[in-house]
């Protein structure tokens, strides 16, 4: 157990739907990062939050959004899902440059 | 912008043989460098990291990596590969100036023959 908890582990949904992925960071870590891993794009940075505020944005689609709550857990919302959104979504938390990754949520859009 | 190149998409070695996985990065300042391993269907496990100091870093599972600034490289090595090392390996670069955002290479898939 890395200390970073992601739920659910697997998600199957239909095109056009909306899903929410949840991440609980390691105790004491203020930063949360979201990454998408797909076969064609590899591991891509989506977005970072630090203590509730958005810090950095990567290749995140407008259909995707995220937030970090006062208890520091984070949620990644994916809407109007397309087949190409099928991927493994990782959350990581950190203090400085040392990341701890969660085990990921595998999203399948059918 | 940061970038990472892992030139080898797939490497096959025999069990007991030595291993070197290549990683080249592009970044203006001194980067933070990482190697992660991912087994099928699993998350990312940190093998080792370089922040500063000694350019030869030791990691878990008998892996080591050497930072060579002049070559912008951070190659991963292991003297004797075990069948359980079969997995995908990712090199990543981050920096304080980019909020420690990591940029990953495309990965190298390692197959180990008995």
């Amino acid at each position: 157990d890395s200390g970073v908890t992601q739920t659910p582990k697997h998600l199957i949904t239909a095109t056009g739907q909306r899903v929410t992925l949840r991440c609980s960071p390691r105790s004491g870590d203020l930063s949360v990062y979201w990454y998408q891993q797909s076969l064609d794009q590899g591991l891509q940075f989506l977005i970072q939050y630090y203590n509730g505020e958005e810090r950095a944005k990567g290749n995140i689609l407008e259909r995707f959004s995220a937030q970090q709550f006062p208890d520091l857990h984070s949620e990644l919302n994916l809407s109007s899902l397309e087949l190409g959104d099928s991927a493994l979504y990782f959350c990581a938390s950190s203090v400085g440059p040392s990341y701890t990754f969660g085990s990921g949520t595998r999203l399948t859009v059918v | 912008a940061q970038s990472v190149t892992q030139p080898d998409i797939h490497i096959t070695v025999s069990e007991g043989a030595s291993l070197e996985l290549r990683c080249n990065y592009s970044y203006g300042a001194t980067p933070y460098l990482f190697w992660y391993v991912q087994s099928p269907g699993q998350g990312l496990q940190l093998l080792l990291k370089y922040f500063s100091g000694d350019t030869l870093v030791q990691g878990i599972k008998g892996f080591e990596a050497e930072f060579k600034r002049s070559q912008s490289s951070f190659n991963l090595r292991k003297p004797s590969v075990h069948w359980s090392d079969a997995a995908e390996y990712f090199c990543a670069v981050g920096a304080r100036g980019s909020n420690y955002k990591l940029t990953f290479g495309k990965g190298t898939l390692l197959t180990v023959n008995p």
Side-chain angles (χ1 to χ4, degrees):
Chain A
D1 180 11
S2 68
V4 178
T5 304
Q6 289 189 250
T7 57
K9 291 194 182 306
H10 301 276
L11 200 48
I12 301 175
T13 190
T15 55
Q17 295 299 303
R18 172 188 168 96
V19 296
T20 297
L21 312 184
R22 181 187 170 101
C23 170
S24 294
R26 201 175 53 167
S27 178
D29 288 355
L30 299 179
S31 274
V32 169
Y33 301 78
W34 286 97
Y35 286 81
Q36 179 195 59
Q37 184 179 34
S38 61
L39 283 176
D40 54 344
Q41 296 293 321
L43 275 156
Q44 297 282 316
F45 167 71
L46 295 178
I47 197 164
Q48 178 207 0
Y49 278 82
Y50 178 84
N51 202 20
E53 294 188 3
E54 182 185 305
R55 273 289 176 92
K57 227 171 186 177
N59 300 323
I60 187 166
L61 300 172
E62 284 192 12
R63 301 183 285 108
F64 295 1
S65 65
Q67 52 185 326
Q68 187 179 27
F69 295 86
D71 67 352
L72 300 179
H73 91 270
S74 178
E75 293 181 356
L76 179 67
N77 301 296
L78 316 176
S79 61
S80 303
L81 285 167
E82 302 174 0
L83 296 178
D85 297 327
S86 296
L88 195 51
Y89 291 84
F90 285 108
C91 162
S93 70
S94 79
V95 174
S98 288
Y99 277 39
T100 302
F101 279 90
S103 57
T105 293
R106 181 168 295 282
L107 173 66
T108 303
V109 183
V110 298
Chain B
Q2 302 162 197
S3 68
V4 178
T5 302
Q6 293 181 247
D8 305 305
I9 296 173
H10 187 191
I11 284 182
T12 300
V13 300
S14 298
E15 191 168 16
S18 63
L19 173 71
E20 182 169 29
L21 302 183
R22 296 182 291 165
C23 171
N24 292 96
Y25 69 91
S26 174
Y27 187 69
T30 300
Y32 300 129
L33 294 160
F34 307 82
W35 275 99
Y36 286 89
V37 61
Q38 185 180 30
S39 298
Q42 301 298 311
L44 294 160
Q45 182 181 21
L46 178 67
L47 285 176
L48 47 77
K49 60 192 176 190
Y50 172 78
F51 292 164
S52 65
D54 192 347
T55 56
L56 184 63
V57 293
Q58 302 297 320
I60 62 171
K61 304 185 180 186
F63 286 94
E64 67 177 26
E66 187 171 12
F67 170 57
K68 292 186 177 180
R69 185 190 303 275
S70 61
Q71 297 177 21
S72 297
S73 70
F74 189 57
N75 294 348
L76 182 71
R77 299 193 294 248
K78 186 169 185 177
S80 178
V81 171
H82 188 261
W83 64 266
S84 60
D85 293 325
E88 189 148 26
Y89 291 79
F90 293 93
C91 181
V93 62
R96 183 193 300 269
S98 63
N99 289 309
Y100 304 119
K101 168 179 74 75
L102 291 185
T103 300
F104 286 85
K106 295 290 189 186
T108 297
L109 181 63
L110 174 66
T111 298
V112 181
N113 287 334

